[in-house]
Amino acid sequence: MAPDDNALTWPELQPSALWPTVETLQLWAQIVGKVRLSQTPWLNHGWHVTLGVTARGLSTGLIPHGAVDFEMEFDFIAGTLVIRVSDGGERRVALKPGAVADFYAQVMVALAGLGVACRIDLTPDEMAEATPFPEDRRHRLYDPEVARDYWRALVQVDRVFNRFRTRFLGKCSPVQLFWGGFDLAVTRFSGRRAPLHPGGFPNLPDAVTREAYSHEVSSAGFWPGDPGQAPAFYADTYPAPPGFDTAAVAPAEARWDAALGEFILPYEAVRTAADPDAALGVFLETTYAAAADLGGWGRAALECEEGRPRHPRRVG
């Protein structure tokens, strides 16, 4: 595939155009994610509150609410947040520029009208600006075309991450979007307990961080960036073994970021590669191998060949 052809599947994400829309979408996603958080029993490492990539956008999956379940999905094709209840009820909230307070109010009214009213924590997590949702009257920008390109990128990343996930027999997370940091991530576990995490993430209780990092992990993810950082893939490990920051990883565009404490690979380097899937795949594999080898993971018992459609994993 020629680099120019990649735009058909791996869209260009211009940081200056992407960030205003992503910032708005992250705040909306926090409201939706906190609805799920308020109703769903805690699952290890916060996996019960994440969003998943769908054929139209991002979804909570089913959320329990007494006798019924409901689902909330950002539909970037139709440009709406769709709320569906298992009794047949449905409401839609338009995705458009405006105040977060207005979006919050519309979501709460829609939930109440469907009989699934919820009370949520009103403060954004892991964001420097922590204005409570009902008080956030600042006009927020939102470009539906930019949002669709971001989602189209997520579809590609989700596919490659899920292929990577099939090559691991040990405990491994789903591919999921954490609305706190707004990263789509996949995490492998060594099976051993980790030292108590120091915490310190902005506007996030340390107890949540410590539960998330209760066991040794090697994580990779996709982050859409901020005003000072272009969209990028990352890879990190906790606890970081000596030498991890100087490990040899690929492709050539990957680098260690001392400020972030993780390896970074620009999204643009993947998008414009001759084979984007291979470029991202080698980043996932080499950063995991560095974490596992330097950390003394029992790799032989944790890994397997990549999964193939209609082919059970060979045993014996």
Side-chain angles (χ1 to χ4, degrees):
M1 179 184 290
D4 287 346
D5 295 335
N6 293 349
L8 298 175
T9 50
W10 292 83
E12 184 176 5
L13 300 177
Q14 290 285 352
S16 59
L18 182 64
W19 172 245
T21 290
V22 163
E23 183 183 37
T24 301
L25 183 56
Q26 182 177 6
L27 287 163
W28 292 346
Q30 294 231 357
I31 293 168
V32 170
K34 284 173 180 281
V35 169
R36 189 179 186 195
L37 173 64
S38 73
Q39 302 297 302
T40 310
W42 197 278
L43 181 63
N44 49 224
H45 318 301
W47 296 352
H48 62 301
V49 300
T50 56
L51 304 180
V53 179
T54 72
R56 299 184 70 91
L58 290 167
S59 173
T60 60
L62 284 176
I63 301 171
H65 194 284
V68 297
D69 287 0
F70 66 100
E71 176 186 22
M72 307 176 76
E73 180 181 28
F74 287 100
D75 184 335
F76 296 124
I77 296 177
T80 62
L81 173 70
V82 187
I83 307 173
R84 300 183 182 92
V85 185
S86 58
D87 63 7
E90 181 177 308
R91 294 284 192 282
R92 293 174 178 256
V93 177
L95 305 179
K96 61 184 181 180
V100 170
D102 292 339
F103 181 82
Y104 165 78
Q106 292 168 33
V107 170
M108 293 300 110
V109 168
L111 290 171
L114 290 166
V116 288
C118 302
R119 295 180 61 186
I120 69 170
D121 174 70
L122 300 176
T123 304
D125 292 344
E126 299 184 59
M127 301 183 73
E129 180 184 341
T131 304
F133 305 124
E135 301 172 20
D136 191 342
R137 301 299 316 175
R138 172 184 160 192
H139 182 79
R140 304 282 179 170
L141 300 178
Y142 182 77
D143 184 327
E145 292 292 337
V146 171
R148 279 192 284 273
D149 281 345
Y150 165 65
W151 159 69
R152 286 171 54 216
L154 290 181
V155 169
Q156 300 305 316
V157 177
D158 182 86
R159 175 176 50 78
V160 177
F161 279 12
N162 270 300
R163 282 180 56 191
F164 173 68
R165 187 177 181 232
T166 67
R167 299 195 287 270
F168 199 71
L169 289 173
K171 177 180 173 181
C172 187
S173 76
V175 178
Q176 53 196 340
L177 188 136
F178 288 89
W179 39 261
F182 216 54
D183 53 323
L184 185 73
V186 61
T187 300
R188 292 176 169 183
F189 292 76
S190 74
R192 301 186 299 237
R193 290 294 300 264
L196 191 67
H197 196 284
F201 287 93
N203 300 305
L204 185 70
D206 287 346
V208 174
T209 304
R210 287 167 179 159
E211 196 280 331
Y213 290 93
S214 63
H215 290 68
E216 291 182 345
V217 297
S218 172
S219 295
F222 170 67
W223 179 55
D226 62 23
Q229 174 78 43
F233 299 95
Y234 69 83
D236 60 15
T237 184
Y238 181 79
F244 181 65
D245 57 338
T246 58
V249 302
E253 296 86 351
R255 63 178 177 84
W256 176 259
D257 189 303
L260 296 175
E262 57 195 14
F263 285 102
I264 293 294
L265 174 64
Y267 170 83
E268 185 67 6
V270 170
R271 187 188 76 81
T272 58
D275 186 340
D277 286 25
L280 178 53
V282 74
F283 178 71
L284 299 175
E285 284 292 348
T286 57
T287 52
Y288 157 72
D293 288 341
L294 293 169
W297 290 26
R299 293 184 59 182
L302 293 172
E303 299 169 18
C304 62
E305 63 184 1
E306 184 174 305
R308 295 183 294 157
R310 302 184 302 276
H311 288 267
R313 181 177 62 84
R314 290 181 296 180
V315 178

